[in-house]
Amino acid sequence: MTITRRQYSRKSLQLDHYETKNTKKYILHIISEAPAYILIAVHKGQLCYKENEKSVLSISLATNQCRMLFANSGKYCVELITKENSFHVICLAPELLYPMRDEFNELIRFMNNPALARFHSMESCTMDQIFKHRLARLIEIPPMRYKDFNRHLFWELPPLLSAYKGLLKNRDKISQTKKLLVQIQEFIATQIAKGDPVTAQNIIGTFPISRRTLARIFPQYLGQHPKQYIRSETIKKAGNLLAETNISLFEIAVECGYSDINSLNRAFKKIKGHTLASYRKIYQK
């Protein structure tokens, strides 16, 4: 195991960058001498923060996630779940963070939460390019004198916290988008099951979504454009009909919205790697 640690330590703030390799569920033991708010950004790997090794309460983060947590003075441990990990840890004394929380209602509520007696956290967020850029501006700088670095910190910390605020607010947008996407998937499945045509225009006419947004969220969350997703779901239905029924190939083509067997056969072979007839021969129960 190798650990590279880059540290800046003052009474009010500490910056750490951990790079670990060839570890297997390695545990780092940490002693917190004073209460601190900790912003963790994981670039690679998976971590689990606990009050101690036997603690039931744990706070987990994975690749490309960040999270703000509070730790009172005491002993804590970090379990490195994966073999390679890269993460930044920014520890802030409460008195340093208080002046920076203005106009950040989520952070104010978090800092005033009575549940923060010992160990607590906000929800994890997926880092975007704005947050990564501002984190890099805070950390990736040439060596300088402490007093110069202090000025740098007070200049760069507020924009970083502002970027974190943006991530928290985007959580609601992401959850709404995912909920809408599930509804669209259910609509597509219903249309295909009934043998009715389904197109991007059908979807736009049924749901409060633009063509541009539809074209963006499908690759973002499903890895396919809408047309590709609809085609793959249609071919999935054709495969089920081939394997589970004895209806003719022409009937299957009509059930799947194709005008003839040859058109379905070409699309089916492109996705499944088999013709309709050979697939039925292999997979029919």
Side-chain angles (χ1 to χ4, degrees):
M1 180 196 71
T2 59
I3 296 179
T4 302
R5 184 178 183 190
R6 202 168 58 206
Q7 182 187 60
Y8 170 87
S9 291
R10 302 291 279 175
K11 290 182 179 179
S12 58
L13 185 140
Q14 181 170 310
L15 301 177
D16 295 314
H17 179 211
Y18 291 87
E19 291 277 354
T20 69
K21 293 184 179 180
N22 302 322
T23 66
K24 187 175 182 181
K25 291 190 176 180
Y26 193 84
I27 295 176
L28 301 173
H29 293 275
I30 300 169
I31 298 176
S32 177
E33 296 181 353
Y37 291 93
I38 306 165
L39 182 59
I40 305 162
V42 179
H43 307 288
K44 181 193 292 186
Q46 186 176 354
L47 319 174
C48 185
Y49 275 72
K50 298 180 180 181
E51 282 197 273
N52 55 64
E53 290 185 49
K54 297 181 180 179
S55 176
V56 176
L57 176 62
S58 62
I59 297 171
S60 299
L61 293 99
T63 298
N64 208 35
Q65 290 184 338
C66 65
R67 196 166 191 160
M68 174 80 78
L69 59 89
F70 171 83
N72 212 327
S73 56
K75 295 180 179 179
Y76 299 88
C77 67
V78 184
E79 184 177 4
L80 307 179
I81 307 298
T82 48
K83 291 185 177 181
E84 292 190 20
N85 301 276
S86 174
F87 57 101
H88 279 99
V89 179
I90 304 173
C91 296
L92 302 164
E95 59 269 21
L96 180 63
L97 192 57
Y98 274 115
M100 300 184 187
R101 65 179 188 163
D102 292 348
E103 301 180 13
F104 192 168
N105 293 330
E106 295 86 353
L107 185 56
I108 292 172
R109 286 194 294 269
F110 177 68
M111 296 179 73
N112 290 339
N113 193 328
L116 295 181
R118 286 199 56 80
F119 192 48
H120 192 64
S121 84
M122 303 179 85
E123 294 186 35
S124 64
C125 299
T126 300
M127 293 187 285
D128 61 11
Q129 291 304 315
I130 295 174
F131 181 89
K132 290 179 180 178
H133 172 70
R134 291 181 177 171
L135 178 64
R137 284 184 61 91
L138 175 70
I139 292 173
E140 296 176 7
I141 57 172
M144 61 175 67
R145 296 177 301 173
Y146 269 160
K147 66 176 184 179
D148 294 332
F149 194 79
N150 287 341
R151 284 195 291 268
H152 167 78
L153 290 175
F154 280 101
W155 183 260
E156 297 295 347
L157 267 175
L160 178 62
L161 290 175
S162 177
Y164 181 62
K165 173 184 175 181
L167 297 181
L168 290 170
K169 288 189 175 297
N170 263 336
R171 288 183 60 83
D172 292 336
K173 292 181 182 178
I174 291 170
S175 63
Q176 289 172 8
T177 300
K178 287 183 177 179
K179 184 177 180 180
L180 178 61
L181 186 59
V182 169
Q183 292 173 343
I184 293 172
Q185 287 178 277
E186 290 172 351
F187 171 77
I188 292 171
T190 300
Q191 293 293 99
I192 291 174
K194 292 191 300 184
D196 293 341
V198 54
T199 63
Q201 192 59 45
N202 296 146
I203 297 169
I204 294 166
T206 306
F207 296 92
I209 190 170
S210 67
R211 185 179 292 273
R212 183 176 180 179
T213 302
L214 183 69
R216 175 177 58 80
I217 66 173
F218 263 74
Q220 182 178 356
Y221 292 104
L222 301 176
Q224 295 177 304
H225 290 283
K227 189 174 181 180
Q228 293 172 320
Y229 179 83
I230 293 167
R231 184 185 297 119
S232 66
E233 291 299 299
T234 303
I235 295 304
K236 188 185 296 183
K237 176 185 177 180
N240 291 337
L241 291 173
L242 288 167
E244 298 170 4
T245 73
N246 290 312
I247 64 175
S248 69
L249 299 184
F250 178 73
E251 288 176 292
I252 291 175
V254 173
E255 273 284 317
C256 294
Y258 285 80
S259 58
D260 59 80
I261 298 174
N262 289 335
S263 298
L264 175 60
N265 208 33
R266 285 193 296 271
F268 192 89
K269 188 174 182 181
K270 186 174 182 180
I271 292 175
K272 294 289 190 179
H274 296 280
T275 62
L276 298 170
S278 64
Y279 187 91
R280 169 169 271 177
K281 186 175 181 181
I282 296 169
Y283 293 102
Q284 190 168 51
K285 297 177 182 178

